[in-house]
Amino acid sequence: MTMLSTNRNSNRVETTSIMKANRAVLQVVMAQQTSDGAGVNLKRSIGKHSLSELDPFLLLDEFRSDDPNDYIAGFPSHPHRGFETVTYMLAGSMQHQDSNGNTGNLTAGSVQWMTAGRGIIHSEMPQQEDGLMWGFQLWVNLPAKDKMCVPRYQDIPPADVQEYVLENNGLIRVIAGQSNGLEGPVKDVVTRPLYLDVRLPEQAQWTHPIPSHHTAFVYVFEGEGYFGKTETDPGRKISSSHLGILGRGDTLMVETGDHPVRFLLLAAQPLNEPIARYGPFVMNTRSEIEQAFQDYQNGRF
Ligand code: FE
């Protein structure tokens, strides 16, 4: 008991100092080449054995190719239940269709935030026969109380993603959350995500706040930069196709040297709930997964 009461005080001090700290990079994970859908080649950084999840993030894929053989097969009809899928396009065009008759075109710079909830069956197929197809798919978990919610889409055209130009000519696209007084177009997501696409030129320094209780990571997809410098940590160099998991704190510091860098900064509230996962279904228990299969097979999606 003495230990507890003593620690309570020192914990408070420690928490305060953490609150004001820069976040360090705890671990750097290299994205792995894999294939999904009907044979789309992509790089996966979350959702594979070495990083199966980063609560509440369940998956991060980058698809980037100018060879149609890498993407033309697309993602034909498949179900989802229990989480959210987020597509962010940088180049190319995909057509989206679902079992409720919704349809939409995902073009360069656009975002689709789909809350699968209790269930959706959809397809994402390339709308091009050649040229560059480039983008990201992120999966964000839902808490138990929202896993069976009514499915919802937020289809965001490129023009609705506000951009902030930094003094050093860097550029921030604000997809979700807040940055430099701009508010992302994605609204009312239960895990309160921050989703930024950040470009920094060479010889630049950039600091950005991140809600202190959020899980956070960066994914570098062009160039390289030095991430996570703190009072006690020199920071880590992270280059293209690598993900950096950020430690606790409430800001991130990024510096560049001789190369520019472009990366995603993602943060969201962790759920701290059990995860039962099988393919396109992510629930809390194994029996809920079995129920998802039954519902899907019996046409209840
Ligand atoms: Fe999907």
Side-chain angles (χ1 to χ4, degrees), residues 75-76 78-80 83 85 96 114 120 122-124 137 139 280:
F75 300 88
H78 60 279
H80 292 291
F83 61 101
T85 71
H96 175 266
M114 183 183 87
I120 199 98
H122 75 160
S123 64
E124 292 142 305
Q137 168 118 169
W139 288 8

Side-chain angles (χ1 to χ4, degrees), residues 22-223:
N22 286 333
R23 287 178 181 245
V25 173
L26 298 182
Q27 192 188 341
V28 177
V29 177
M30 188 173 78
Q32 279 176 5
Q33 201 73 47
T34 185
S35 155
D36 208 340
V40 176
N41 287 326
L42 43 82
K43 282 181 176 168
R44 181 161 293 167
S45 45
I46 304 176
K48 59 188 181 60
H49 291 301
S50 54
L51 185 60
S52 58
E53 62 253 336
L54 189 60
D55 184 18
F57 302 108
L58 299 163
L59 177 136
L60 180 67
D61 286 342
E62 178 185 6
F63 46 92
R64 177 183 195 173
S65 178
D66 53 13
D67 178 356
N69 292 322
D70 285 333
Y71 60 73
I72 206 75
F75 300 88
S77 229
H78 60 279
H80 292 291
R81 173 179 280 184
F83 61 101
E84 314 194 72
T85 71
V86 184
T87 307
Y88 176 39
M89 295 292 290
L90 295 182
S93 172
M94 293 257 236
Q95 195 190 35
H96 175 266
Q97 273 183 307
D98 78 14
S99 48
N100 296 333
N102 297 307
T103 176
N105 235 346
L106 301 171
T107 58
S110 71
V111 181
Q112 185 195 63
W113 198 290
M114 183 183 87
T115 307
R118 70 181 176 217
I120 199 98
I121 302 168
H122 75 160
S123 64
E124 292 142 305
M125 299 302 288
Q127 288 302 288
Q128 62 194 53
E129 285 169 7
D130 50 33
L132 178 64
M133 174 76 78
W134 188 11
F136 301 93
Q137 168 118 169
L138 174 77
W139 288 8
V140 186
N141 208 356
L142 286 168
K145 68 177 176 62
D146 293 312
K147 281 190 178 293
M148 295 297 278
C149 72
V150 176
R152 181 176 76 140
Y153 289 97
Q154 300 189 59
D155 273 313
I156 316 284
D160 287 1
V161 179
Q162 296 192 77
E163 296 180 343
Y164 184 86
V165 181
L166 299 165
E167 265 174 40
N168 60 23
N169 278 325
L171 185 80
I172 306 172
R173 302 195 82 224
V174 188
I175 293 162
Q178 292 176 341
S179 181
N180 295 281
L182 301 181
E183 178 102 25
V186 174
K187 304 279 190 230
D188 302 322
V189 175
V190 65
T191 47
R192 304 183 150 280
L194 173 69
Y195 190 158
L196 306 179
D197 169 1
V198 183
R199 261 173 266 195
L200 299 177
E202 47 210 70
Q203 311 298 343
Q205 197 186 71
W206 182 73
T207 302
H208 199 276
I210 300 174
S212 56
H213 295 288
H214 277 27
T215 299
F217 71 87
V218 292
Y219 179 78
V220 176
F221 56 96
E222 281 193 312

